Amino acid sequence: MFKFTPDFTTLLLERHRDELTGFLVNRVNCPEVAADILQDAFFRLTQFEPTQRIDNPKAFMYKVVGNLAIDHQRKVQREQARHVDEEALQDHADASPGLERQLYSKQQLAHLRLAISELPPRCREVFILHKFKHYPYSQIMSELGIAENTVLKHIVKAMEHCRRRMRELEAEGP
């Protein structure tokens, strides 16, 4: 199997440097980027472990260089798209809730806390475990030693109470 040794790769790149540079400048429009790609190509070629016979090292080198140029172009396109996305986001209004909405949400949360605190202790415990700690019925049943039907009744009772109290508290105002 053919191996791209550092000496052979250096000789191959030096022999074709001008045409490779022209090939790359046509693709990336920048001599400095073309030089960077040639350096990357040297590294890639010397690290390459062939699994098939390479009959034409020059053609293989062009393939590696061409692929690196494509990788570079894709990277530039991603960066440009990301930059455009960031600029577009700057033109949009702030999506965070306004002060009035934040105050209203805090008021609703206070009303919910009050409604929950009014529940009987066992009902409140079941409701909190299920709705806020996300316990499944089976876990609540085993922890509290109650039947599934009882868990369900507590949750229904708590939901009905909270809905009713939230409506009443909303109607009362601040």
Side-chain angles (χ1 to χ4, degrees):
M1 295 259 170
F2 179 81
K3 177 86 170 115
F4 281 92
T5 64
D7 289 339
F8 176 77
T9 305
T10 301
L11 181 67
L12 188 62
L13 284 171
E14 286 302 319
R15 184 176 296 153
H16 302 285
R17 178 170 298 283
D18 291 340
E19 64 186 87
L20 283 169
T21 301
F23 171 78
L24 286 169
V25 169
N26 273 341
R27 292 183 176 227
V28 298
N29 299 321
C30 179
E32 290 81 17
V33 171
D36 289 343
I37 290 174
L38 285 177
Q39 288 178 352
D40 289 345
F42 174 82
F43 179 75
R44 293 267 176 103
L45 289 168
T46 58
Q47 300 300 310
F48 179 70
E49 294 289 334
T51 56
Q52 297 177 2
R53 181 179 156 91
I54 297 173
D55 293 324
N56 188 341
K58 179 182 174 185
F60 185 77
M61 176 185 61
Y62 264 90
K63 184 69 173 168
V64 169
V65 168
N67 287 342
L68 288 171
I70 290 169
D71 290 347
H72 171 77
Q73 289 168 326
R74 287 179 180 156
K75 179 183 173 191
V76 168
Q77 287 172 346
R78 282 191 308 271
E79 288 171 355
Q80 287 173 343
R82 191 175 309 123
H83 183 67
V84 169
D85 290 346
E86 289 170 1
E87 286 177 357
L89 286 174
Q90 290 175 354
D91 293 339
H92 285 84
D94 185 8
S96 60
L99 184 58
E100 184 177 314
R101 181 72 183 155
Q102 289 176 20
L103 290 173
Y104 178 71
S105 295
K106 286 181 182 179
Q107 184 180 24
Q108 281 186 312
L109 188 57
H111 289 166
L112 180 60
R113 282 190 179 125
L114 178 61
I116 292 171
S117 72
E118 295 170 348
L119 292 169
R122 181 55 68 130
C123 183
R124 179 175 52 239
E125 185 177 16
V126 170
F127 183 69
I128 289 171
L129 287 174
H130 183 64
K131 290 296 183 182
F132 297 101
K133 295 189 177 182
H134 309 289
Y135 282 27
Y137 286 1
S138 59
Q139 189 174 357
I140 296 170
M141 291 166 38
S142 65
E143 269 193 37
L144 301 180
I146 57 178
E148 182 177 359
N149 195 30
T150 306
V151 171
L152 186 57
K153 284 180 184 178
H154 282 308
I155 291 172
V156 168
K157 180 180 178 177
M159 291 293 292
E160 288 173 351
H161 172 77
C162 288
R163 283 189 192 116
R164 181 178 41 77
R165 285 298 286 149
M166 292 291 288
R167 282 192 301 269
E168 290 170 1
L169 292 166
E170 292 264 331
E172 290 175 12

